[in-house]
């Protein structure tokens, strides 16, 4: 039985393949608090990768409004329903997921169902999942900007730093290039593979035989069938850019600068000068999406501070409350979280991959893999004040700061 | 459009027309049980010959005979036809022969929304919609043929009822539909099939449908303007001749069982 250690759920779990981590792992942190759903990421991806025939329904990157938006339709409800109610336990601040992952829900004996060369052996058929209907791909904008919660009255007051009674938030999503990828685990002919040099998960289109098992086994709905080409396709992590030390299209084009791309290490190898490691392992402010599914996804989210915990715990796991508090402390300017604040300022400020960062008295600085400076951001936004009276034009200024 | 010349066409003729369109629609669609049964039982051949003969057009009769001669008559033959169909028209192996009107018109799908809307408007005007579960686009050959079959049958019914207004409405509709839609591209479709298909069944069928439509454009006084040949796509120069302009770094996968997750590098999987 293949047992792998999934640090996000704090325990070993079953998976069709033995654990094998790449030399480096493509990773990302998204600050949801800053996303405005302008969909520039979506379009930058669409125009780069999925503008062909047969890809009309494909959004390798999409932004959905939570709780009502979802693409493909209700992908999250579908998989949560199938897994049912599950529990996390806590001991000494360490959380362990006690429920079943998608690889465990159907009690598969993975030794018996070992992947082999025989395409007739659909070894991954009991990975919990479903294949979305064609119609499920047809509503990428459903639920956009629809709030939930209690109605706001004319005298409703929301104190600073508290959850909002009425809320929604935007969830930008793409392939998580998971450490224990469902798509790779499910493919009966091993056409899905992980790249040793960067951990990007790719479908080899030459080998793909359109079983669509990857589509079924990816609970995030990020492996998508192309009926025109007759094979499945997915986000390629913009590997041609990543190979050159650049960030992917959807990161570079993000107007809100909510995205940071870099390498993510497992916790025991975490490096505090690496921005992704710092946000995920040191500050613990960025959390994986639905860690309980068991895929060890590599896109991490800073949870939205206006949204109630119960919804967020289901989505990002039990460390949500602490993450929100840490983020708010950094925003307030608490000295203890100065480094985090600097890094949050640095996010999305360069098209180069920041592999190392430091925060000095005045600024946050990002370095690429060779140690060259690729970004500099001041810790305090410089403010300029002009005279109220504009002598040249003999007029008073309305806006002077 | 000129005046329709339908006086010599009897209600029974319209029934035969309806049957020919229906059979052609069935035969050009992905072979299914309905077609298999019709072919194996001989109903397909009998009805096709009978209706083609009834319309007293020598060309039509000749093409119908050619279709029947090339038709499979047993299950194995239909299986083979299924493979032929999918390699010619299907998406499984990227069949090259398009069965959609817009593919034969200038412009792209994106710029042809009005055409699709017009075709769908014809269907809706006669209370028709595409069957639930059928996801074909409105401009698919088989759907256009089935629509004409329906109108022909309605004409026969209304003739029998003596409903002159009704007959005028469906007569106009058939003329308009042939002039604006099917008549504009069926010729190019037949040519494409004749040039690129070596399955006699489909070649003969293409000729039959083109002749049937030609016969009807005369009958209804339709004057369809044939689409100009589609200009080359802007991506044509980028192709390497094999229909692909990717970087070509994706190699074939290595065989052998994989105890660990399949890994690879920038040249593809190991």
């Amino acid at each position: 039985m293949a047992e792998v250690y999934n640090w996000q759920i704090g325990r070993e779990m079953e998976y069709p393949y033995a654990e094998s981590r790449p030399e480096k792992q493509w990773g990302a942190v998204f600050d949801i608090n800053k996303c405005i759903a302008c969909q520039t990421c979506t379009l930058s991806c669409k125009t780069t990768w999925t503008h062909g025939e047969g890809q009309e329904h494909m959004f390798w990157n999409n932004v959905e409004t939570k709780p009502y938006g979802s693409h493909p339709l209700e992908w999250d409800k579908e998989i949560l329903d199938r897994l049912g109610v599950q529990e996390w336990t806590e001991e000494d601040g360490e959380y362990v997921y006690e429920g079943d992952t998608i690889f465990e829900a159907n009690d598969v004996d993975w030794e018996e169902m070992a992947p082999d060369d025989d395409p007739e052996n659909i070894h991954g058929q009991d990975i919990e999942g479903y294949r979305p209907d064609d119609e499920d791909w047809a509503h990428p904008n459903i639920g956009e900007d629809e709030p939930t919660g209690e109605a706001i009255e004319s005298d409703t007051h929301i104190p600073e730093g508290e959850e909002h009674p009425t809320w929604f938030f935007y969830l930008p999503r793409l392939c998580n290039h998971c450490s224990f990828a469902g798509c790779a685990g499910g493919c009966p002919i091993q056409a899905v593979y992980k790249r040793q040099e960067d951990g990007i998960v790719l479908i080899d289109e030459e080998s793909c035989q359109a079983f669509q098992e990857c589509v079924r086994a990816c609970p995030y709905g990020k492996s998508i069938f192309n009926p025109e080409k007759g094979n499945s396709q997915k986000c390629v992590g913009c590997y041609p850019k990543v190979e050159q030390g650049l960030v992917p299209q959807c990161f570079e084009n993000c107007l809100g600068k909510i995205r940071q791309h870099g390498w993510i290490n497992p916790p025991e190898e975490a490096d505090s000068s690496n921005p992704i490691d710092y946000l995920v392992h040191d500050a613990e402010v960025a959390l994986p999406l639905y860690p309980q599914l068991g895929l060890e996804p590599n896109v991490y989210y800073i949870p939205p501070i206006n949204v109630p915990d119960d919804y967020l715990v289901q989505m990002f796991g039990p460390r949500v409350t602490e993450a929100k508090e840490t983020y708010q402390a950094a925003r307030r300017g608490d000295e203890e979280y100065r480094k985090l604040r600097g890094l949050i300022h640095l996010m999305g400020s360069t098209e180069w991959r920041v592999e190392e960062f430091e925060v000095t008295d005045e600024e946050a600085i990002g370095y690429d893999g060779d140690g060259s400076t690729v970004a500099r951001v001041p810790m305090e936004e410089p403010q300029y004040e002009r005279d109220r009276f504009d002598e040249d034009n003999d007029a008073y200024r309305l806006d002077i700061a | 459009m000129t005046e329709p010349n339908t006086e010599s066409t009897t209600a029974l003729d319209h029934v035969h027309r309806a049957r020919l369109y229906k059979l052609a629609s069935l035969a050009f669609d992905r072979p299914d049980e309905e077609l298999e049964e019709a072919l194996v039982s001989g109903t397909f051949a009998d009805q096709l010959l009978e209706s083609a003969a009834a319309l007293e057009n020598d060309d039509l009769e000749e093409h119908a005979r050619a279709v029947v001669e090339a038709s499979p008559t047993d299950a194995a033959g239909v299986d083979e036809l299924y493979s032929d169909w999918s390699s010619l028209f299907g998406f499984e192996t990227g069949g090259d022969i398009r069965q959609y009107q817009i593919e034969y018109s200038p412009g792209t799908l994106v710029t042809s929304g009005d055409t699709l809307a017009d075709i769908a408007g014809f269907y809706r005007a006669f209370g028709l919609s595409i069957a639930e579960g059928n996801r074909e686009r409105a401009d698919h050959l088989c759907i256009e043929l089935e629509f004409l079959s329906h109108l022909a049958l309605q004409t026969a019914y209304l003739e029998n009822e003596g409903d002159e207004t009704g007959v005028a409405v469906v007569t106009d509709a058939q003329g308009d539909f042939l002039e604006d839609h099917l008549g504009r591209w069926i010729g190019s479709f037949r040519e494409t099939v004749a040039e690129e298909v070596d399955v006699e069944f489909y070649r003969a069928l293409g000729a039959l449908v083109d002749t049937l439509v030609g016969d009807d454009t005369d009958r209804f006084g339709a004057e369809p303007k044939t689409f100009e040949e589609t200009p080359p796509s802007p991506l044509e120069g980028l192709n390497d001749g094999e229909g692909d302009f990717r970087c070509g770094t994706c190699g074939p996968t290595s065989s052998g069982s994989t105890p660990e997750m399949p890994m690879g590098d920038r040249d593809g999987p190991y």
Side-chain angles (χ1 to χ4, degrees), chain A residues 26 32 34 80 86 112 117 160 174 177 222 226 316 334-335 360 365-366 378 399-400:
Chain A
W26 185 106
I32 294 184
K34 297 199 284 188
L80 294 172
Q86 309 282 352
E112 207 160 276
D117 269 349
E160 170 86 30
L174 67 158
H177 298 282
K222 285 297 176 188
N226 179 331
F316 300 115
D334 288 11
E335 195 51 33
T360 67
I365 309 168
D399 186 3
I400 58 165

Side-chain angles (χ1 to χ4, degrees), chain A residues 15 17-22 53 115-117 134-135 179-181 184 190 192-197 204-207 227-229 239 243, chain B residues 91-92 94 98 103 109 135 244-247 249-270:
Chain A
Y15 184 65
Y17 293 106
E19 187 164 344
S20 68
R21 290 182 183 269
E53 216 175 321
D116 55 29
D117 269 349
D134 289 0
E135 287 83 355
S179 299
F180 307 116
Q190 285 105 62
V192 187
Y193 65 103
K194 197 176 229 333
R195 302 209 318 174
Q196 194 61 259
E197 64 182 292
D204 179 20
E205 295 195 6
E206 305 273 312
S207 331
E228 187 7 71
K229 288 199 74 167
Y239 68 84
E243 284 172 10
Chain B
F91 59 78
E92 300 98 321
R98 308 296 179 149
E103 303 294 333
L109 178 59
R135 298 199 179 82
D244 197 346
F245 53 92
R246 291 177 304 167
C247 61
T249 52
C250 310
T253 186
S254 60
S255 56
S257 66
T258 322
E260 296 191 338
M261 187 195 291
M263 300 296 276
D265 58 19
R266 58 180 74 178
D267 294 325
Y270 293 143

Side-chain angles (χ1 to χ4, degrees), chain B residues 17 148 151-152 155 169-179 220:
Chain B
R17 286 180 52 240
L148 282 168
L151 289 187
T155 316
V169 168
V170 286
T171 302
D172 276 357
Q174 288 170 89
D176 286 345
F177 193 76
L178 288 167
E179 181 162 304
F220 294 106

